[in-house]
Amino acid sequence: MSITSPLVNAAPTQERILVIYTGGTIGMQPKVNGLTPGENFQERMADALSQLPLLHQHALPAYDVLSYASLIDSSAATPLTWQQIAQDIATRLATYRGFVVIHGTDTLSWTASSLAYQLQGIDRPVVLTGSMHPLETVNSDAIDNLHGALRFAASTELQEVAIYFSNRLLRGSRAIKQHTEALDAFISPSYPCIGERVGDDFIYYPSRGLGLQQRGAPRFELSDYQAVSNGNVIRLALWPGISPWQLDALLGDSRVKGALLQLWGAGNIPSNPALLDVIANASGEGKLLAAVSQCPQGSIHLGAYAAGYGLAEAGLLSGDDMTPEAAFTKLVHLLAQPLSMEDQRQRFLTSLVGER
């Protein structure tokens, strides 16, 4: 990894933004086998931003670029990727006023959720962004997304992990990717946007942010994710006709330490007592089990319907209105820490970073 500074951005380090380039569509270039993460991103980014109107260029903060040695498509990201980004931000916290993470869109919301848990109480902006089209593509959305991410990363009010995409600033632990092609690919289904671009202005809504709720020094939780990086936490969406042996094949595996189940509606499963037995047995073995709805909006209420009766008693934790990304990365984060089962369960049910 190396940090480079555009020559035009001369300013003291403490007034600068650090841009962390991990790969993704935004920096990709065509190769024989398809689009591949490209090199020299700092130069290409500077060239792209020079296409902005002069008024917008002058409003940009000074920045440095940290390019990872191994650039990836975000589909290759793992919990260890999330850990590396968090550590790179934490070790440079006193050096920069804010951070922009350039990331592929496919798992961008997963990384944002994980960073929110690892960087709890952060007192400056961490803004993730990317694009649906490569930087050099005609009419690409990349330039506008970089512009907005840099502007919000320089905010003195924003004090949390967020995603800037298509003129909207979303809480990182509340966002999901909901479209494979549209420029406004990200939404926040259960929480309003915390900022947005209106004309030439970038407006932050402090009443919706975490800054007003956080006090004291950052309380980072930079746990070692190695112990949960080999498929130890699983995600399973129920389907009509699911059998107990199928559920047990996953939950009963000794390598599994936690699982996120995506149930129907408000938290329903087929009326088969053997399914409840599988969940209860897994929970009884000390596995951390949680549930969210397959519906993109709304909360689950375990036991509200007869079809969900007994799930809480079997040890399944309610994910309330959390996104699958926020719930899954929270399980990973909690299981990576030396917490008792009781503490893990209680912390899952507690809102740590405005995720529920």
Side-chain angles (χ1 to χ4, degrees):
M1 294 184 292
S2 60
I3 296 180
T4 57
S5 304
L7 295 178
V8 295
N9 280 337
T13 305
Q14 292 82 359
E15 298 178 12
R16 304 173 77 84
I17 303 300
L18 180 62
V19 177
I20 300 177
Y21 171 51
T22 69
T25 297
I26 191 169
M28 287 189 175
Q29 296 174 317
K31 303 291 182 181
V32 175
N33 59 341
L35 289 172
T36 305
E39 306 289 340
N40 302 319
F41 185 77
Q42 67 277 1
E43 299 172 10
R44 297 162 58 203
M45 178 177 171
D47 288 342
L49 293 175
S50 70
Q51 301 173 31
L52 292 170
L54 283 178
L55 185 64
H56 293 172
Q57 291 185 48
H58 292 157
L60 289 173
Y63 63 89
D64 298 331
V65 177
L66 169 61
S67 291
Y68 281 179
S70 298
L71 301 172
I72 62 170
D73 184 294
S74 71
S75 60
T78 71
L80 295 181
T81 308
W82 309 335
Q83 178 180 327
Q84 178 182 356
I85 298 172
Q87 289 178 335
D88 287 334
I89 291 172
T91 57
R92 295 169 175 85
L93 192 71
T95 308
Y96 292 95
R97 64 185 293 191
F99 299 86
V100 170
V101 178
I102 307 298
H103 197 286
T105 61
D106 284 344
T107 64
L108 188 149
S109 55
W110 296 77
T111 297
S113 290
S114 178
L115 291 180
Y117 297 127
Q118 295 181 78
L119 303 174
Q120 290 178 51
I122 193 163
D123 59 359
R124 61 204 66 195
V126 175
V127 183
L128 288 85
T129 195
S131 66
M132 302 302 289
H133 301 289
L135 195 59
E136 287 85 4
T137 302
V138 176
N139 296 323
S140 171
D141 57 328
I143 299 176
D144 284 342
N145 287 347
L146 286 173
H147 178 200
L150 284 168
R151 290 291 297 274
F152 275 116
S155 168
T156 57
E157 293 182 293
L158 180 60
Q159 297 179 9
E160 62 179 287
V161 177
I163 293 173
Y164 181 81
F165 217 90
S166 189
N167 300 323
R168 290 181 295 176
L169 187 72
L170 311 176
R171 171 162 293 160
S173 61
R174 286 284 192 165
I176 62 173
K177 184 180 179 182
Q178 57 96 32
H179 207 292
T180 64
E181 298 172 337
L183 298 186
D184 57 345
F186 289 85
I187 60 171
S188 180
S190 299
Y191 198 79
C193 68
I194 59 175
E196 61 185 323
R197 178 177 181 173
V198 180
D200 290 338
D201 296 322
F202 292 85
I203 302 171
Y204 172 64
Y205 303 119
S207 62
R208 302 176 184 176
L210 283 176
L212 294 177
Q213 305 169 29
Q214 299 180 156
R215 287 179 171 79
R219 50 191 184 278
F220 292 174
E221 295 180 356
L222 301 174
S223 304
D224 186 358
Y225 281 10
Q226 185 68 51
V228 286
S229 65
N230 194 32
N232 307 96
V233 181
I234 63 172
R235 173 188 179 187
L236 173 64
L238 269 62
W239 64 89
I242 185 172
S243 298
W245 72 263
Q246 293 171 314
L247 186 61
D248 185 56
L250 291 168
L251 293 187
D253 192 300
S254 61
R255 292 166 293 185
V256 171
K257 298 179 180 179
L260 176 67
L261 303 184
Q262 288 187 252
L263 311 181
W264 292 307
N268 299 323
I269 65 170
S271 56
N272 185 339
L275 288 172
L276 278 178
D277 290 341
V278 172
I279 295 171
N281 289 338
S283 179
E285 293 171 356
K287 298 177 181 182
L288 191 61
L289 309 180
V292 294
S293 176
Q294 293 187 24
C295 299
Q297 288 184 281
S299 301
I300 64 169
H301 305 280
L302 299 180
Y305 290 82
Y309 181 78
L311 285 172
E313 289 77 6
L316 197 61
L317 300 172
S318 171
D320 194 33
D321 63 348
M322 295 171 69
T323 65
E325 294 92 326
F328 183 92
T329 55
K330 192 171 187 178
L331 290 175
V332 169
H333 183 69
L334 294 175
L335 286 165
Q337 299 180 65
L339 300 171
S340 67
M341 186 65 177
E342 181 180 350
D343 286 343
Q344 288 175 344
R345 292 175 62 85
Q346 185 56 47
R347 292 199 71 200
F348 185 86
L349 296 171
T350 302
S351 180
L352 303 178
V353 289
E355 76 278 9
R356 58 181 297 156

